Amino acid sequence: MRTLNRLRSSTLLLAALAGTAAGADSSLDGHPAVTQYLMNDAPFVVFGVTPTRLGAASTHLTLSFIATDPLQQVHVFPFVRRTPYDPARLQPHVPCGPRDAGSWDCRIPVAELLRKLQDGEGELGLRIEAHGDLRVRGEHSTVIVTLPVGSSRSTTAAASR
């Protein structure tokens, strides 16, 4: 069974790679977006976000993820901040699950959130909480994805500070 799950996971990952590589404003390594796993005990893998950089006038982004087994809950808490060192105020969650095993996309609205950045420059983040079986305490993953907002010149300068 474990070999079957690995084979299924590999197949799903390759399918997601093919789909995301064809998307506009995406990159196979996700740059300049950054994905950080704080905890990874659910059958859940973040594939990435599209686009990987946002303009101040962006209206949404797409979170792509893989469930290697069924997920009972996937919640995304978006936030914006001026710099990576500023505190992040999480916004109400966007539900992206439950989901069966497979490759999935979830559309995250960002227009209202981006208006909170005073000059349209900064960082948008997603705190993703995924749960496998809710009765099993260990089937929980927490992932943070951050991506720059604004022109490429200004976000590169902010990243070097």
Side-chain angles (χ1 to χ4, degrees):
M1 186 66 169
R2 193 175 284 236
T3 303
L4 180 60
N5 283 341
R6 285 186 188 148
L7 180 59
R8 185 178 349 146
S9 297
S10 298
T11 303
L12 295 171
L13 182 59
L14 289 174
L17 276 171
T20 302
D25 297 322
S26 67
S27 74
L28 288 177
D29 67 357
H31 181 77
V34 175
T35 301
Q36 177 185 14
Y37 286 83
L38 303 179
M39 174 185 281
N40 192 24
D41 296 320
F44 172 80
V45 178
V46 169
F47 185 70
V49 293
T50 306
T52 58
R53 173 188 314 275
L54 293 173
S58 297
T59 59
H60 71 279
L61 65 87
T62 300
L63 167 68
S64 298
F65 63 91
I66 296 169
T68 58
D69 288 317
L71 296 168
Q72 289 188 8
Q73 218 174 50
V74 180
H75 289 201
V76 178
F77 299 88
F79 62 89
V80 291
R81 56 189 175 192
R82 178 74 178 127
T83 72
Y85 308 105
D86 291 340
R89 291 194 177 114
L90 298 178
Q91 301 301 303
H93 78 273
V94 176
C96 291
R99 298 284 191 209
D100 291 328
S103 175
W104 300 99
D105 289 333
C106 181
R107 186 177 171 116
I108 311 293
V110 298
E112 184 177 324
L113 195 56
L114 293 178
R115 284 193 275 276
K116 294 181 180 186
L117 290 173
Q118 291 177 352
D119 58 2
E121 303 285 330
E123 173 179 85
L124 181 126
L126 305 174
R127 180 183 175 96
I128 305 155
E129 301 278 342
H131 301 275
D133 186 339
L134 291 172
R135 298 169 295 179
V136 178
R137 186 175 188 166
E139 288 196 22
H140 172 82
S141 290
T142 303
V143 184
I144 305 291
V145 177
T146 55
L147 56 153
V149 176
S151 67
S152 60
R153 185 171 22 141
S154 60
T155 52
T156 302
S160 65
R161 285 187 226 158

